Amino acid sequence: VSEALVIQSHRGPYSVRFSQGTLRQLADESFEKRHFIIDANVATIYREDLEPILRTASTLVIEATEPAKTLDRFTGYVETLVSQSVRRDHLIVAIGGGIIQDITAFLATTLLRGVPWEFYPTTLLAQADSCIGSKSSINVGSAKNILGTYCPPGRITIDPELLQTLAEVDVCSGIGEMLKVHAIAGPSHFDEIAAVYEQLLSDRNILRHFINRSLEIKKAIIEADEFDTGVRNVMNYGHSFGHAIEAASDFAVPHGIAVTIGMDLANHVAVQLGRVSRDYFNRMHSTLMTNSRGFHSVEIPQDRFFAALGKDKKNVGAQLSLILPDAAGVPQRTVIDNTQVFRGACVNYFFEVLKDG
Ligand SMILES: NC(=O)c1ccc[n+]([C@@H]2O[C@H](COP(=O)([O-])OP(=O)(O)OC[C@H]3O[C@@H](n4cnc5c(N)ncnc54)[C@H](O)[C@@H]3O)[C@@H](O)[C@H]2O)c1
Ligand SMILES: [Zn+2]
């Protein structure tokens, strides 16, 4: 076990540690006063390691789908935990990706007005990005991530070995968020991770190094602005566009891949608006295209794309609030008019740039 990071939050400090063989170790510990919320795929793949937990502990096994984090489903989760006599001095242990994280964090903040929780992230997106930052978001009907709280886990344990069973598309989705946070840190940081892109998928030491780097970069930003009222805004680089791509494609494009395309589109728009040179766009373009390969011909109806963009919760009146690179190549919050030039740049991107790869 190695202590990697300590994050400061409004609930006090919490730690992120790297470890191996974590599921087996967890299963060897006492289950007294513990409740487990486990991703169904993880429960199946790691059935042997988790067997004692699945057989004897208070356990909720949940299929990690978007409907699973819809408000309606929480009645069932609460009833199960209450039937297992959950108390405020118990611990809820989450094992899974961002969906299991959101469900557990929301329950942990609201159930009995607060039950401590710990997180064992099992997707790259959760290990390299979402596990820190305190946020939980759940869906209500078709309104995605509309209810939420701020409540970090007491402790996070990252076991990169678990990523070996992750589907390639989920690996690329996680890499999308890693590319984002490196771009936010500045062009030299982006170039550093882009230079080893292929090894990220094949060399676990390199992957682990960049998971750690991604968390270090994010740590500095969330500690400065945990409640997302200022500098943390930049973490939305690629996200306004990314969310619109997700919505317009009926979520055919996974989150981190939509963000990857969203960053490329943000760079393209910034070139068209005269904010950065074409060189800046070109520098990132090939890596972003590689990471989003397989999703370039997904149908993205323009009317739905612009409607979703117009509804982004960060907008200011009729103006769009976007994160675009500035003259120094660092993404910054920018409020722009929803002009013909802007829309033309987006349409041009989908029809010319993305289709050509
Ligand atoms: N709270 C936050 O700060 C935050 C941040 C970003 C995203 N999110 C949310 O996270 C969700 C996406 O999370 P995600 O990308 O981590 O994916 P996920 O939780 O949807 O999991 C993706 C898939 O991987 C499977 N899986 C998980 N671990 C595995 C493993 N080790 N081996 C094999 N398969 C495994 C899951 O069963 C699922 O099929 C979205 O709902 C998003 O809104 C939350
Ligand atoms: Zn994201």
Side-chain angles (χ1 to χ4, degrees):
V1 180
S2 65
E3 199 76 11
L5 290 168
V6 175
I7 317 286
Q8 304 299 329
S9 81
H10 72 292
R11 303 266 177 143
Y14 60 99
S15 67
V16 183
R17 56 185 192 151
F18 283 84
S19 189
Q20 280 177 10
T22 49
L23 300 184
R24 196 174 289 266
Q25 281 157 29
L26 251 184
D28 282 342
E29 292 170 13
S30 160
F31 306 145
E32 204 194 333
K33 299 187 176 184
R34 284 189 179 202
H35 307 266
F36 294 84
I37 300 185
I38 307 177
D39 179 305
N41 282 328
V42 173
T44 304
I45 298 169
Y46 298 95
R47 194 184 320 118
E48 243 177 77
D49 290 350
L50 292 169
E51 199 268 336
I53 294 175
L54 297 169
R55 186 166 36 84
T56 49
S58 160
T59 308
L60 264 171
V61 176
I62 298 174
E63 299 260 0
T65 60
E66 282 298 320
K69 55 173 240 188
T70 302
L71 185 61
D72 297 350
R73 300 281 179 93
F74 281 73
T75 306
Y77 305 150
V78 172
E79 282 171 353
T80 303
L81 288 162
V82 168
S83 75
Q84 297 285 347
S85 309
V86 65
R87 298 282 181 272
R88 298 194 62 180
D89 64 338
H90 291 187
L91 178 71
I92 306 179
V93 179
I95 307 172
I99 290 186
I100 298 301
Q101 173 187 351
D102 275 339
I103 293 168
T104 309
F106 191 78
L107 280 169
T109 14
T110 51
L111 191 67
L112 307 171
R113 292 194 199 85
V115 178
W117 73 291
E118 279 191 10
F119 189 27
Y120 290 74
T122 64
T123 62
L124 182 55
L125 184 138
Q127 292 192 353
D129 180 43
S130 71
C131 69
I132 62 169
S134 309
K135 289 184 182 177
S136 74
S137 318
I138 67 160
N139 308 328
V140 180
S142 62
K144 192 173 146 62
N145 289 345
I146 195 74
L147 285 189
T149 57
Y150 285 94
C151 176
R155 189 171 69 168
I156 297 154
T157 306
I158 295 178
D159 185 347
E161 299 279 313
L162 297 174
L163 302 177
Q164 284 181 35
T165 53
L166 205 57
E168 187 181 292
V169 45
D170 290 310
V171 174
C172 291
S173 187
I175 291 177
E177 297 283 9
M178 295 167 79
L179 293 173
K180 177 201 74 177
V181 84
H182 280 78
I184 289 168
S188 64
H189 294 269
F190 183 89
D191 290 347
E192 211 185 305
I193 188 168
V196 296
Y197 179 86
E198 292 302 332
Q199 283 112 290
L200 287 175
L201 301 163
S202 61
D203 183 327
R204 69 181 83 143
N205 288 328
I206 290 186
L207 183 62
R208 187 193 144 136
H209 169 79
F210 282 97
I211 291 172
N212 195 51
R213 269 305 291 151
S214 300
L215 293 173
E216 281 174 351
I217 298 166
K218 182 169 177 180
K219 166 184 153 80
I221 297 168
I222 58 178
E223 285 185 343
D225 180 21
E226 187 179 1
F227 298 114
D228 204 359
T229 57
V231 293
R232 189 171 175 176
N233 280 188
V234 298
M235 294 294 278
N236 267 308
Y237 182 38
H239 276 66
S240 298
F241 290 125
H243 289 145
I245 291 167
E246 286 180 88
S249 69
D250 287 323
F251 297 90
V253 186
H255 178 71
I257 292 175
V259 169
T260 304
I261 299 172
M263 287 188 278
D264 200 43
L265 173 52
N267 296 349
H268 176 79
V269 166
V271 174
Q272 300 295 313
L273 299 179
R275 292 170 57 98
V276 293
S277 69
R278 182 146 287 280
D279 286 348
Y280 178 87
F281 170 85
N282 288 340
R283 229 189 72 252
M284 294 176 66
H285 180 63
S286 61
T287 306
L288 298 176
M289 282 297 102
T290 305
N291 197 53
S292 55
R293 66 192 178 279
F295 291 90
H296 298 166
S297 45
V298 171
E299 189 69 37
I300 301 175
Q302 281 176 52
D303 50 341
R304 295 183 62 193
F305 173 81
F306 287 114
L309 204 58
K311 279 192 226 144
D312 194 279
K313 56 185 177 237
K314 302 268 187 323
N315 290 346
V316 186
Q319 289 185 303
L320 301 170
S321 173
L322 299 169
I323 310 296
L324 299 178
D326 65 10
V330 178
Q332 299 291 353
R333 179 168 183 262
T334 316
V335 177
I336 64 164
D337 290 321
N338 190 350
T339 59
Q340 207 60 47
V341 176
F342 166 75
R343 296 162 80 93
C346 294
V347 171
N348 171 257
Y349 178 82
F350 287 116
F351 283 93
E352 307 288 335
V353 184
L354 188 62
K355 292 278 184 277
D356 291 345

